[in-house]
Amino acid sequence: MAKVIRLAKHYTSGMIFQRYRDILIEGEAFSPCEVTATLGDDTVSTTIEAGNFSLSLPPRKADRGLTLIISAGEQKIELTNIYIGEVWLASGQSNMQWHLNITDEYRQNPYVKENPDLRFYTVGRNLVPSPNDLNQGYEWAYTNDHGWVGCDEESALHFSGVAYHFAHTLYEQLQIPIGIINCNVGGSSIYSWLPLKTIEENPEISYMWDSYKSEIASVDPESARADYHKHLDWITKNYDISRNASGVAWELPSISYREPGPYRFRLPGILYTSMLKNIDTFPVKGVLWYQGETDGAEPGGVTYAAALEALVDNFKLRQNDPDIAFSYVQLPPFENPDFPRWATVCDQMRKFSLRHPDYAMITTGDVGIDRDIHPGQKRPVGERLAFAAMHKQYDLNHEYTGPIAYQAIRWGDEIRISFLHSQGLHQRPKNMGKFELVYEDGIIKEAKGEIRDGAVYVPIPEGLTPEYTRYEFVSCPQIGLYNFVGLPASLFELRVE
């Protein structure tokens, strides 16, 4: 029987749809036809043209064990064991990708909590949308998507440790199916995850594409392709490439190609085109974002907040949901001179959180004290993201982040620094952390803070009022300010009003 339609890759048995959103069905039609979709007692039919198509069934409440049937002509596709619940997209770079089996929590207690109500899906990590975009014979370098699967030892060990703990923590409260779409690449830049057109048309971040144009123009495309194939050949000799065909979406070095040219994995827009674009119209409750490490070493770090704005706006557009949830992780402490914009990225994240109180930034100043770019602790990160979701999306009052400074004003002979999320503001351990006063002439003076009335007061030495006040504005901050639930403050730089 000839195929009339082909569903998008993420439509499989065992999948999960977002509750209370239209049940979206997407795919490709090879010729004009009538398509009928049935889920439970809901049925919809529509006539479609050749090419990409979509149709929607009515929203449903949380459920499990359903059957979805899509018919076109004589073709019938039956997907079983369908779930309805809460779906979240977990994206970013290596700290979001970091597999459960190499987290501190799993190493200390090698146990996976099995739960078929947790549905995991991993988008294959690729530089190209299709293996045909390189050459036949290199299909192994194209990683297929993997899922949907329930949470068990086989599926969880190589899944995001952060997303695993997020899903379990949220499930404990909601007791309904939870789906996680895993879409990340270690070492990637935020600009790689944005549509190239979005970058080109945004005056704040267009310079990121401009900086690559001359590089790409100077490289012969065929030479670049040949060099990339040499890279792939080397991988076949040094890595077990059967992993890519095994049904588990591993992150092999084939994607981390760093040489100049059109296959460089940090090129603006490249991972959006090859990965995220394939999944970002599938309705989700929200996005979990853990990324920024790479941008802490590159020029784009100074406009990270503008890039976040573009990222969220694109999710809103593609999801057709102006209220989509967005929660993200502020970078943990990391000491490395090769990342001069680390503190800048962290402060850009803080500023973004103040502009968008509906979104959630979680602080992690207490999980990176080992000065490793990949802190082994992933449970606190996943739990705090879940607490943020409970607080903002599910009407469960729960503190999820540490004190976030929003104002510094002249207060007599002191500067008064005010914070959000500061109930029970206290000092821990003995050292509160380093405050600095920055003057217009560039002079920086160290200062000490004192907690009074839920704020921090910093004495001003005799003379001119400083232009800025800063707190632990370094790549490896030693945070000493905490709130009543023991969550650490964010570093900051604030203009003195």
Side-chain angles (χ1 to χ4, degrees):
M1 180 180 62
K3 287 187 177 181
V4 183
I5 63 171
R6 176 173 57 199
L7 297 179
K9 291 188 293 185
H10 46 283
Y11 289 87
T12 70
S13 292
M15 70 182 300
I16 180 171
F17 290 97
Q18 174 63 38
R19 64 174 176 166
Y20 308 135
R21 290 281 305 272
D22 286 349
I23 305 297
L24 180 68
I25 312 297
E26 295 181 295
E28 179 184 6
F30 304 117
S31 60
C33 62
E34 182 176 339
V35 176
T36 299
T38 300
L39 181 65
D41 54 0
D42 294 322
T43 297
V44 63
S45 296
T46 187
T47 300
I48 60 175
E49 300 298 322
N52 293 333
F53 75 87
S54 66
L55 69 156
S56 297
L57 287 155
R60 302 179 72 93
K61 65 180 181 180
D63 207 344
R64 54 181 65 77
L66 301 173
T67 297
L68 173 64
I69 299 174
I70 301 101
S71 301
E74 296 183 358
Q75 183 183 2
K76 179 180 178 181
I77 302 172
E78 183 174 314
L79 306 181
T80 60
N81 195 31
I82 302 297
Y83 292 75
I84 313 290
E86 292 295 283
V87 186
W88 288 77
L89 171 64
S91 191
Q93 59 180 109
S94 55
N95 273 309
M96 181 62 88
Q97 172 264 328
W98 208 247
H99 296 163
L100 177 67
N101 68 330
I102 51 176
T103 63
D104 285 355
E105 292 83 8
Y106 184 80
R107 286 173 170 172
Q108 294 163 9
N109 180 24
Y111 167 75
V112 170
K113 188 175 182 180
E114 298 190 0
N115 187 344
D117 270 356
L118 303 187
R119 313 305 299 172
F120 293 163
Y121 188 90
T122 297
V123 177
R125 299 180 178 99
N126 295 296
L127 280 175
V128 293
S130 161
N132 295 329
D133 292 309
L134 280 175
N135 260 343
Q136 295 297 323
Y138 288 91
E139 291 86 350
W140 65 267
Y142 180 81
T143 309
N144 290 317
D145 291 9
H146 176 58
W148 295 86
V149 291
C151 178
D152 56 29
E153 188 155 356
E154 181 179 0
S155 65
L157 290 185
H158 298 290
F159 199 73
S160 164
V162 168
Y164 167 90
H165 289 293
F166 168 86
H168 276 287
T169 305
L170 193 60
Y171 183 84
E172 289 173 5
Q173 289 293 323
L174 302 183
Q175 294 294 305
I176 62 172
I178 306 291
I180 304 291
I181 300 170
N182 197 28
C183 182
N184 41 63
V185 171
S188 58
S189 165
I190 188 173
Y191 302 94
S192 302
W193 296 103
L194 290 169
L196 184 54
K197 184 178 180 182
T198 295
I199 298 172
E200 289 181 304
E201 295 178 351
N202 187 319
E204 290 188 81
I205 59 176
S206 59
Y207 72 95
M208 285 301 296
W209 174 236
D210 293 339
S211 66
Y212 284 100
K213 281 182 180 177
S214 58
E215 173 194 294
I216 294 176
S218 66
V219 176
D220 176 65
E222 290 306 313
S223 296
R225 183 188 295 269
D227 287 343
Y228 186 60
H229 284 167
K230 290 179 183 177
H231 175 73
L232 301 185
D233 287 339
W234 178 84
I235 289 170
T236 64
K237 298 173 183 176
N238 291 275
Y239 288 87
D240 177 10
I241 62 172
S242 64
R243 291 176 178 178
N244 274 28
S246 68
V248 177
W250 295 75
E251 183 174 10
L252 290 182
S254 57
I255 197 172
S256 302
Y257 187 67
R258 301 171 184 269
E259 299 303 317
Y263 301 107
R264 185 173 181 177
F265 82 114
R266 288 181 183 168
L267 282 178
I270 192 167
L271 297 180
Y272 178 76
T273 300
S274 64
M275 295 176 61
L276 187 55
K277 186 179 180 180
N278 298 330
I279 198 76
D280 67 352
T281 55
F282 185 71
V284 299
K285 182 69 171 184
V287 178
L288 309 174
W289 182 254
Y290 192 170
Q291 192 278 333
E293 298 91 334
T294 289
D295 301 294
E298 299 184 350
V302 299
T303 50
Y304 194 85
L308 276 178
E309 296 274 2
L311 185 80
V312 177
D313 284 347
N314 191 58
F315 280 127
K316 290 179 182 178
L317 177 67
R318 296 285 287 174
Q319 286 280 311
N320 192 27
D321 181 9
D323 300 317
I324 188 171
F326 185 73
S327 299
Y328 62 103
V329 183
Q330 192 183 48
L331 298 182
F334 174 55
E335 187 67 69
N336 189 319
D338 294 332
F339 291 77
R341 296 176 181 84
W342 195 271
T344 299
V345 169
C346 289
D347 205 42
Q348 289 272 300
M349 291 177 166
R350 180 191 64 84
K351 292 175 180 178
F352 181 81
S353 75
L354 296 178
R355 289 201 293 267
H356 297 283
D358 289 339
Y359 305 145
M361 181 188 79
I362 68 161
T363 55
T364 58
D366 57 340
V367 300
I369 54 176
D370 53 1
R371 303 189 179 190
D372 188 337
I373 197 170
H374 299 128
Q377 299 179 66
K378 294 295 185 257
R379 181 172 181 171
V381 179
E383 286 180 338
R384 291 172 200 179
L385 286 169
F387 296 156
M390 293 175 200
H391 186 89
K392 291 189 173 292
Q393 279 74 52
Y394 302 110
D395 297 324
L396 298 169
N397 189 25
H398 204 304
E399 184 58 275
Y400 59 87
T401 195
I404 299 175
Y406 69 90
Q407 184 182 56
I409 60 174
R410 179 77 187 245
W411 195 268
D413 58 355
E414 297 176 303
I415 296 171
R416 185 181 191 272
I417 304 169
S418 301
F419 298 82
L420 302 174
H421 303 280
S422 60
Q423 182 181 350
L425 184 68
H426 66 280
Q427 174 181 318
R428 193 182 77 176
K430 295 181 179 179
N431 180 21
M432 184 185 293
K434 184 171 70 174
F435 290 87
E436 292 177 319
L437 305 177
V438 183
Y439 293 84
E440 190 174 0
D441 58 6
I443 293 177
I444 300 175
K445 294 183 178 180
E446 191 170 338
K448 291 185 178 180
E450 179 184 349
I451 300 172
R452 300 198 307 268
D453 305 322
V456 171
Y457 292 81
V458 178
I460 302 174
E462 291 185 8
L464 297 174
T465 298
E467 188 176 12
Y468 294 94
T469 181
R470 302 194 304 202
Y471 174 69
E472 286 294 330
F473 200 76
V474 292
S475 64
C476 195
Q478 304 300 300
I479 302 297
L481 288 174
Y482 288 75
N483 59 18
F484 79 108
V485 292
L487 295 179
S490 165
L491 58 77
F492 63 82
E493 181 180 70
L494 282 171
R495 183 180 291 276
V496 179
E497 301 174 13

